[in-house]
Amino acid sequence: DLIDFDRKARELTSLDKIEYCVEPKFDGGSISVVYENDLLVRGATRGDGVEGDEVTANIKQIRSIPLSAKFSDYGLQQVEIRGEVLINKNNFKKYNEGLMEEGLPPLANPRNAAAGTLRIKDPNEAAKRNLEAFVYHVSYYSLAKGKKTPVELTTHSGSLKLLWDVGFRSPEKERKIFKGIEGVIKYCSEFEAGRDDLPYEIDGMVIKVNDFALQDKMGMTSHHPRWAIAYKFKARQATSKLLNVEF
């Protein structure tokens, strides 16, 4: 699939080799956050892609989402950022142990726990679950009067560095840049081999054409961008023993 994706990308761009940015595909609840004049003004779930839930109060409980960020240093007035909210494996285990001590059923998995927490009506309860957030995409921005687009926002890897530098957790440390698809394939295999050692759940890797001008040239289909692909890891398998059946 990756080789086929690369072939189509090269055909679309008429290039011999394309620079790709590769990063983990976080397994949690998708969010969108909006900053205006350096202040967090809105947080929402992705919902159906058009309309999501307003969850600003709960997002303000997440320590890795700053209440203010110096986007003005880059000449940006309004910014919308996409990201993923997670519960790391240790916090999930502790939270479930607390539920069982109270005689309540444990939560099924970290992904559903993170997505469900965003919709809790009580922000104090949301804070107890120790959510974390990784942001990975600047989906919209407007410039302050007289300012030009910063060089960081000409590539995907540059935008991840910008987000990291203003105080977010972006996959700045995990992301790698490769010229051509061979390095991408090798890195995906290496990351899959070490996925169990990570403190949070990932279910694959995301490969994006690094240059934003090339992304615009390649465009979108009706339901996905032509400049990105998700490389899904194999589903985990385990064996259960059937102990008893009640009729």
Side-chain angles (χ1 to χ4, degrees):
D1 285 347
L2 290 178
I3 289 165
D4 192 47
F5 165 72
D6 177 59
R7 178 185 57 77
K8 287 177 184 166
R10 286 185 289 109
E11 282 172 5
L12 275 170
T13 57
S14 306
L15 293 172
D16 294 331
K17 278 204 170 179
I18 292 178
E19 186 174 86
Y20 295 110
C21 187
V22 188
E23 66 204 59
K25 184 176 180 298
F26 301 105
D27 197 17
S30 293
I31 56 162
S32 182
V33 286
V34 178
Y35 286 76
E36 286 175 6
N37 302 315
D38 292 348
L39 296 176
L40 172 62
V41 294
R42 168 146 316 166
T45 62
R46 183 174 62 183
D48 59 7
V50 176
E51 194 172 293
D53 295 323
E54 156 80 59
V55 289
T56 310
N58 286 346
I59 279 175
K60 284 181 174 177
Q61 307 304 317
I62 303 171
R63 286 183 198 149
S64 42
I65 299 275
L67 298 177
S68 66
K70 294 292 277 180
F71 288 112
S72 55
D73 287 354
Y74 297 87
L76 304 174
Q77 186 167 27
Q78 187 184 50
V79 187
E80 184 191 2
I81 307 158
R82 292 237 356 235
E84 203 84 1
V85 169
L86 321 156
I87 296 181
N88 78 33
K89 293 172 187 173
N90 279 342
N91 286 339
F92 179 68
K93 187 167 173 255
K94 280 182 203 160
Y95 187 75
N96 263 351
E97 283 167 358
L99 287 177
M100 289 189 282
E101 279 170 20
E102 291 175 36
L104 298 167
L107 300 173
N109 59 58
R111 181 193 184 169
N112 291 357
T117 302
L118 285 172
R119 295 184 182 86
I120 288 175
K121 297 287 183 237
D122 179 5
N124 294 324
E125 180 58 34
K128 283 183 198 168
R129 296 196 187 184
N130 288 315
L131 292 181
E132 298 175 29
F134 277 90
V135 296
Y136 53 77
H137 185 62
V138 175
S139 47
Y140 169 83
Y141 63 89
S142 66
L143 296 167
K145 200 172 179 184
K147 297 291 183 180
K148 290 183 179 171
T149 298
V151 68
E152 288 85 355
L153 291 181
T154 58
T155 62
H156 178 66
S157 58
S159 71
L160 294 181
K161 183 164 188 339
L162 185 155
L163 291 168
W164 179 271
D165 288 345
V166 297
F168 291 88
R169 283 182 75 183
S170 73
E172 165 66 12
K173 304 288 186 199
E174 295 87 352
R175 62 118 178 115
K176 286 271 175 75
I177 298 163
F178 298 98
K179 198 92 169 168
I181 204 69
E182 296 80 11
V184 172
I185 293 168
K186 188 167 178 281
Y187 187 52
C188 287
S189 300
E190 287 168 4
F191 222 97
E192 182 166 17
R195 69 188 287 203
D196 290 329
D197 301 328
L198 294 171
Y200 42 80
E201 291 288 349
I202 65 169
D203 60 356
M205 304 296 279
V206 181
I207 297 92
K208 298 175 183 174
V209 171
N210 197 30
D211 187 283
F212 285 154
L214 269 188
Q215 288 186 9
D216 288 343
K217 184 178 179 182
M218 293 170 75
M220 318 266 285
T221 69
S222 57
H223 60 81
H224 71 273
R226 290 193 179 97
W227 42 263
I229 188 172
Y231 174 84
K232 286 291 198 85
F233 293 158
K234 292 182 188 75
R236 284 199 178 95
Q237 292 189 326
T239 304
S240 287
K241 187 183 278 189
L242 180 63
L243 300 177
N244 186 28
V245 182
E246 285 185 23
F247 296 98

